[in-house]
Amino acid sequence: MKVRKAVIPAAGLGTRMLPATKTIPKEMLPMVDKPVIQYIIEEAVASGIEDILVVTNRAKSAMDDYFDYHPELEERLLKNGKFKEAEAVRMSADLANIFYVRQKETKGLGHAIWRAKRFVGDEPFAVLLGDDIMMANKPVTKQLVDAAEKYGACAVGTQLVADEAISRYSSLKIQPLPHEDRIFRVSDMNEKPTPEEKFSNYAILGRYVLTSGIFDILEHTPPGYGGEIQLTDGLRTLCKQSPMVAVDFEGRRYDTGNLKGFLEATIDFALTDGEIGPWLRDFIIDKAKGL
Ligand code: G1P
């Protein structure tokens, strides 16, 4: 099972980050010096993905502009000796083969993924949710790809979340696998469960490796939580038809779709940045002294 393709759903309205996202796609908000979606694309590329489909909507054309060349800007930067900046501008356009399809109606994550049917064909593919940014030594998508290949199975990324948080995610029913600490077999799941409904505190956190079998299932999946077609409902059927594993991935996950997660990610990524990191560390220490 070689995973060469990825799908990034990025058609959400960004209502948790208003007013900034009134005219700027939430995926284009700058985190340190790059838009959020670039972190996702870089993770996919570092995991061996070659072709990426971004599912967008009519308000998101800034994204395809960003991953295009900008000849006038590059020429000006080179003329002024700003070689590093010119390279950064060019690099973002050369990261991967990026394709776009629009989700014409806001009908949920399952519907957005279904829009990838033609792009994916019969190959296995990764899904990376645009809000979930990961900081990990080994890219989280690569951790899933390796587990999917090892078990000839679909894979979902998971971590334990607090009791009060599980109702914001999907909850997994899992069983141990021999000789594995971090990989489990998945037998069921549900989306945004109440405390009584949850299977466990293992939540799916924004990363998946799936087979094309999901598309036929999604086509017949009725609207679920929030009146939307939920990917989780499709996966619930899929995990009963073919093997699926959950990978308790190593790394930290940030929900950049809300302000607190966005700030945490911004600070953590800035702290690890060779140039800005040491300055930010001193700045924070100084500030903390005054608190
Ligand atoms: C989506 C998925 C949910 C998953 C979560 C992870 O929910 O539907 O199963 O646990 O992402 O971030 P959303 O954040 O769109 O409500």
Side-chain angles (χ1 to χ4, degrees):
M1 184 198 250
K2 171 107 183 69
V3 185
R4 293 186 318 108
K5 292 182 177 174
V7 177
I8 302 177
L13 294 176
T15 50
R16 293 186 295 164
M17 293 288 273
L18 286 168
T21 50
K22 183 176 167 189
T23 52
I24 300 171
K26 62 176 172 171
E27 296 79 9
M28 289 303 295
L29 293 175
M31 230 174 67
V32 192
D33 57 354
K34 291 185 287 197
V36 168
I37 192 163
Q38 189 164 340
Y39 290 83
I40 302 275
I41 303 248
E42 287 178 355
E43 179 190 324
V45 171
S47 303
I49 303 293
E50 294 157 19
D51 296 339
I52 298 173
L53 179 75
V54 185
V55 184
T56 67
N57 66 27
R58 62 188 73 81
K60 307 261 176 157
S61 38
M63 264 192 301
D64 18 328
D65 291 344
Y66 181 79
F67 291 109
D68 193 1
Y69 289 150
H70 195 325
E72 298 84 0
L73 176 62
E74 287 174 42
E75 203 185 298
R76 171 68 63 90
L77 290 169
L78 290 174
K79 217 190 238 166
N80 293 345
K82 299 199 174 230
F83 301 111
K84 214 174 122 217
E85 288 83 352
E87 197 193 318
V89 166
R90 171 54 62 113
M91 194 274 273
S92 56
D94 280 341
L95 276 171
N97 302 317
I98 306 181
F99 302 80
Y100 303 90
V101 67
R102 282 190 179 183
Q103 184 186 20
K104 294 177 225 167
E105 301 161 279
T106 314
K107 284 187 171 178
L109 180 59
H111 179 257
I113 298 300
W114 175 77
R115 296 287 289 141
K117 183 177 175 172
R118 277 179 176 260
F119 165 81
V120 165
D122 264 340
E123 294 188 40
F125 65 105
V127 173
L128 294 85
L129 301 192
D131 284 344
D132 294 79
I133 299 290
M134 309 290 184
M135 188 184 280
N137 292 330
K138 179 175 173 180
V140 174
T141 296
K142 179 73 177 131
Q143 296 180 40
L144 264 65
V145 166
D146 287 351
E149 282 175 358
K150 183 170 176 189
Y151 286 96
C154 292
V156 294
T158 188
Q159 279 185 343
L160 276 172
V161 302
D163 281 338
E164 61 279 11
I166 190 70
S167 59
R168 297 204 300 269
Y169 300 104
S170 40
S171 162
L172 289 169
K173 185 173 181 186
I174 54 171
Q175 289 78 38
L177 280 167
H179 317 296
E180 296 283 8
D181 291 336
R182 310 192 74 107
I183 306 181
F184 308 92
R185 195 170 67 81
V186 178
S187 58
D188 209 345
M189 65 184 75
N190 50 12
E191 178 74 13
K192 314 263 186 311
T194 62
E196 298 73 42
E197 288 166 344
K198 72 170 181 185
F199 290 113
S200 72
N201 280 18
Y202 280 101
I204 300 181
L205 294 179
R207 296 293 182 273
Y208 311 76
V209 172
L210 305 177
T211 51
S212 56
I214 190 67
F215 296 115
D216 282 347
I217 296 173
L218 285 173
E219 227 159 281
H220 300 106
T221 300
Y225 181 87
E228 298 193 330
I229 299 171
Q230 295 293 343
L231 177 60
T232 304
D233 292 342
L235 295 178
R236 186 171 203 176
T237 306
L238 188 66
C239 76
K240 290 171 185 167
Q241 293 178 357
S242 51
M244 185 180 293
V245 294
V247 181
D248 182 1
F249 59 83
E250 291 181 70
R252 163 116 204 231
R253 171 251 181 198
Y254 303 87
D255 178 5
T256 59
N258 76 66
L259 193 53
K260 282 185 189 159
F262 187 88
L263 288 174
E264 284 171 359
T266 302
I267 292 169
D268 276 357
F269 277 95
L271 283 171
T272 59
D273 184 281
E275 271 176 41
I276 208 94
W279 166 83
L280 181 62
R281 196 176 161 276
D282 290 347
F283 177 78
I284 291 173
I285 290 170
D286 251 21
K287 275 270 159 204
K289 278 183 200 150
L291 293 178

